[in-house]
Structure formats: C-alpha cells, structure tokens
Amino acid sequence: MSYESGALTFHAFYLAKAFKSNDIELFATRTLPPLNTLGTEPIHGWAGPTHALDHELTEANCWRGDWLWFSHVKAQKRPPASLVRATLMAELEIERRARDVEVLPRAAKTEVRERVVEALTREAQPSFTSMECAIDLRNQRLFAGAMSDAAIQVLAPYFRETTGCVPVMCGPESAAYRLRGIDCNNLELVNMTHNPEIGGASEVCIGDEFLTWLFYRWEMQGCDFKMGDENCSMMFEGPLTFAGDKAPGCHETLLRNGTPLNTPELGIALWNGKHLHRAKLTLVKNDWIISATVDGRDFAFRTMRVDPIKKKEEEDAVSEMPSAPKAEGGSQKLTIDERLERAAFYVDAFLHLYGEFLDLRADPVGWRSKLAAIHQWIDARMKV
C-alpha cells in the first residue's frame, strides 16, 4: 500500500475525539461483510493495513508508533464495460427479432439493458476499492486517501457511524478557523493584481491567495523559516498551475517543462487575475527532505515523497536551498510510522506557513501594504 512505500496522496482531517490505540476495536466491529453477501449493490467495511480482506483489526496489526493504520474498503461486482456492451447489443438484436420490428421502443431497450446489467453483475467477480487511512494519535488527525468529493462523502459518514466522530477536512476555511479563529467569509475582498481590466473579486479564494503569497515570500524573502525551535526551509518547483474565474480568456494556465519558475508567462498569469492554484513544494527539516504537489483550493497533498533522496540530480536540486542539509544517500527503508511522521511534519509546516499568512491577511492595513509589494513583484515578473 502507498503509506508503506512509494508516494503518499491524502487529505488531512481534523478529529474532535481523542483516539487511543485500542480504539481500533471500534473499526473491528464493522469489517467488510463476507463476499457471499455481495449482490448487485456495493458493500463497505474496514480492513487491516495489509490487504482488502485483512480482518485482523487489532492493536498488534494496526498500531504503529503514534499511528493507527487501516483501510476503508468497498467491494462490488462490476462486469467489464466491453462485455456489457457486446452482450447488450446481442440481446437487443434478439429482442428486436422476437418482436419483428425494425426499431425497438425506448422502454424495451431500457428493460433489456437493466436485465443484461443485472445478470452480468450477479455473475461477475468482486472488485475492491481501498482507501488507506491513518490516525495520528498524537495530533488527533486523520490522513485518508479520499481525494474526490464522492470519496469524502463515503468516508465521512461511515467513519462517524463507526466512531461517533465526524472527520472535518483540513481545507483553507476550516484550517483558518482552527488556527486563528478566522471566518474567511468576513475577510476583505481584494485582488492580488492591480490590472485595471480585472473586475472586483466576488469571493475570497483564501487557499490560492496563500500559495501565491507563499511563492512571493519564497522569492523575495528566501526559503528559510522557523517552526517553533526548528529551522526549516522550503522550495517551489514546477509544474505550476494558475487559476482564476475572473481572468480574461482561459481561466487556467499550466506552466511546465523547461524552466516554469523563470518565465514571463508566470507574471502574465498573475497580472490577469490568476492565483497560484497548484505547485510542487519541498519542505526541509534537518535531514528530512519532503516534497508534494499541493492544491490551494482544498489543501490536497499529492505524490508526497518522504523517502531519503537517492538520485544525484535530486540532491543537486535541493542543494540550491541555502540551509538545506546534504541528503542521506543510503538505501535504508523507512518504517510506516517513520514515513507517516515525515508526512505529519509536512502538514504541520504547511499549516504553520498558512498561519503566518492568516495573521497578515486578517490585518487590513498590513495586507494592503503587502499587496503593494506584491504588485511591484508581479510587474517585475512580467519582464523576466
């Protein structure tokens, strides 16, 4: 599974309940039902971390350091689309000949389709969709591979039914309230561009504003920042996605290949009312070098790399950061709790920087002053 090796992709969720390691017993009461109960409708349940049919949800199997590691599994029978299509065409032709008509009525076609899909579904082999989850027992957060609205709408109510606790996705608005008690609806509507052709902002895109400000901060103030007593660093990489509903022409600009960080199109996108919406951001603490593609709209973390860097070209790229330490080039394999601890640091550092932005954004005078500097930066960026 991805939490054990490779890249991590997840959303973070706040948990109001204080979970303990023995709370895994709650999930054990709602494991995936036996497959012989599977009909035409999907079935849901919790599974252990090793595979979709792992019913051993115990502390010994799921407790790793400060983490509970498990999965939400959906099982369903889904016949191949090509088989459904071919069988349907054959059955429609049989039905047409039986009725001795040139064209079947729509109601007859619908009836045949439902009959074919039901029969093939009943005979199909089960398929599984697994959503990996990990509860941070120290910070009371849930990391889950629910990356779409549909997946979140499946996970959240099932998690609540199991534990009595509703997971709240850590997005720009919820994090602003948790970190600083800020209601983003009450923030001043401003444009980050002084282009006179761009109309007034209709809503606060706080997450995209944050990524845009963070990119500006990285370029103008350097990559170093402090989180508590820890010295940390950050670095942006391409590809970069800029988006804005008020922008003239296209509403999204993707900069990739070559040197997207040093192109005039970056300044042009900002000048035309677009914000930085998605980018690859690397965060560093001591010998931890972690990179992920982050979304400003919902704070999704995609393809997060937490393993020690091995390739020389990656070492050279990170070494451009002044305070970045030399990466350990060893081939040691991190344990699951070590990988999750690095992912937790990344989320913590990301939210720490977001807190700095919120302090500035909630101060009308300070934010107006910073906007003037950002406008000058955008003008200079267009001439790169």
Side-chain angles (χ1 to χ4, degrees), residues 203-214:
E203 61 179 350
V204 176
C205 299
I206 191 69
D208 287 359
E209 288 182 8
F210 163 58
L211 282 187
T212 306
W213 167 83
L214 189 61

Side-chain angles (χ1 to χ4, degrees), residues 127-317:
S127 61
F128 299 97
T129 303
S130 181
M131 187 188 307
E132 203 161 6
C133 303
I135 295 178
D136 184 352
L137 300 176
R138 184 170 51 196
N139 298 308
Q140 301 306 322
R141 288 183 304 205
L142 169 69
F143 291 177
M147 303 309 292
S148 65
D149 290 341
I152 294 172
Q153 291 169 6
V154 169
L155 174 69
Y158 203 77
F159 191 94
R160 178 185 58 80
E161 292 171 10
T162 303
T163 66
C165 173
V166 180
V168 178
M169 191 178 78
C170 175
E173 292 78 16
S174 61
Y177 188 79
R178 291 269 182 157
L179 295 173
R180 296 294 189 271
I182 293 174
D183 183 352
C184 293
N185 295 320
N186 296 331
L187 293 175
E188 181 185 8
L189 295 175
V190 294
N191 286 329
M192 297 189 76
T193 176
H194 59 300
N195 185 346
E197 298 180 2
I198 303 301
S202 58
E203 61 179 350
V204 176
C205 299
I206 191 69
D208 287 359
E209 288 182 8
F210 163 58
L211 282 187
T212 306
W213 167 83
L214 189 61
F215 190 90
Y216 159 81
R217 181 192 185 283
W218 172 64
E219 283 208 334
M220 304 304 294
Q221 300 179 20
C223 61
D224 297 334
F225 66 96
K226 289 187 70 70
M227 187 173 67
D229 296 330
E230 297 281 356
N231 293 318
C232 305
S233 300
M234 64 176 174
M235 180 180 71
F236 277 90
E237 300 177 67
L240 306 174
T241 302
F242 293 85
D245 294 337
K246 291 288 186 178
C250 70
H251 298 315
E252 188 171 283
T253 300
L254 173 61
L255 304 179
R256 63 179 182 181
N257 299 331
T259 55
L261 300 181
N262 300 314
T263 178
E265 283 81 4
L266 192 156
I268 293 172
L270 294 170
W271 171 256
N272 284 295
K274 297 184 177 75
H275 298 124
L276 182 58
H277 168 61
R278 179 181 294 181
K280 183 177 180 182
L281 176 65
T282 298
L283 297 175
V284 175
K285 181 183 77 168
N286 299 326
D287 62 344
W288 291 7
I289 302 173
I290 305 142
S291 64
T293 298
V294 294
D295 283 12
R297 297 277 171 90
D298 60 358
F299 286 179
F301 302 98
R302 305 177 189 274
T303 59
M304 180 181 290
R305 306 285 182 179
V306 299
D307 296 305
I309 291 177
K310 300 177 183 178
K311 297 180 181 178
K312 186 177 185 304
E313 57 267 28
E314 292 178 344
E315 292 182 13
D316 294 340

Side-chain angles (χ1 to χ4, degrees), residues 50-64:
T50 55
H51 54 77
L53 295 177
D54 180 8
H55 286 183
E56 189 184 351
L57 280 92
T58 62
E59 287 188 57
N61 192 37
C62 301
W63 184 21
R64 303 288 192 278

Side-chain angles (χ1 to χ4, degrees), residues 106-120:
R106 179 176 297 178
K109 290 181 178 180
T110 301
E111 180 184 347
V112 173
R113 176 185 294 276
E114 292 176 350
R115 185 175 68 244
V116 166
V117 171
E118 182 179 356
L120 291 177

